Amino acid sequence: MTPGVGTAGVRPHRLRRVRLFVATSLDGYIAGPGDDVGWRFDDGDYGYQHFYAGIDTVLIGRRTYDMACRLPAWPYAGRNVVVFTRGDATRIASPDTVATSLAVTDVVAALRVRPGRDLWLAGGGGLVQSFLAADRVDDLIVSIHPVVLGDGIPLIARGTPRVPLALVGERRFPSGLVQLAYRVEREPASSTATRD
């Protein structure tokens, strides 16, 4: 058998990665008081188009979805969107969008086995915590804006378990924005096995 080719002669698709791509303030907030995001830079691309080309599904919480629906243009055009809710009351008013109250682990498992590009965990803070707690994040790309907000919605909520990360990239921009890319470090399955 040829390496990387399945028994039917078809190449198996690579496992789709869950990638958090997010803007934060220097003090770690993804939105200020009252869901304020006016402090985020919009003077450049900051790697967004390249990232967006590599994903085909956006994973968001209900509050983030509601905020996106209030924007002048739908920000996830051409992508499938999954809105995580705590109930079935979320009204969907955007194209290629579904709402779910299923567990993060179940949704990610179902999406990962389908062929496609990577999955963008776009927030909000509560959903990021759920994904980290369920060990369902593979990569984090964090764009740190040179501003201190002092309050708001934290990127990483209290109670989130420890997640070891490996720095795989960093970029500095003239605006003062620093973008850090991390890969979640997981122990190999064999090292966690019980020894006789």
Side-chain angles (χ1 to χ4, degrees), residues 30 60-64 84 86 104 121 123-133 153-158 160:
I30 58 176
I60 57 177
R62 188 202 45 82
R63 278 183 63 188
T64 303
F84 287 82
R86 290 189 175 88
V104 163
L121 174 58
L127 190 60
V128 170
Q129 180 182 29
S130 296
F131 268 74
L132 288 170
I153 300 170
L155 169 60
I156 309 294
R158 287 180 181 243
T160 302

Side-chain angles (χ1 to χ4, degrees), residues 44-58:
D45 178 71
Y46 297 106
Y48 177 77
Q49 291 301 323
H50 177 75
F51 173 81
Y52 199 69
I55 61 105
D56 64 10
T57 303
V58 181

Side-chain angles (χ1 to χ4, degrees), residues 17 32 37 60 70 103 155:
R17 299 180 69 79
V37 293
I60 57 177
R70 290 192 299 267
L155 169 60

Side-chain angles (χ1 to χ4, degrees), residues 180-192:
L180 303 173
Y182 295 97
R183 179 144 299 153
V184 173
E185 289 198 321
R186 294 184 172 92
E187 292 185 30
S190 62
S191 71
T192 58

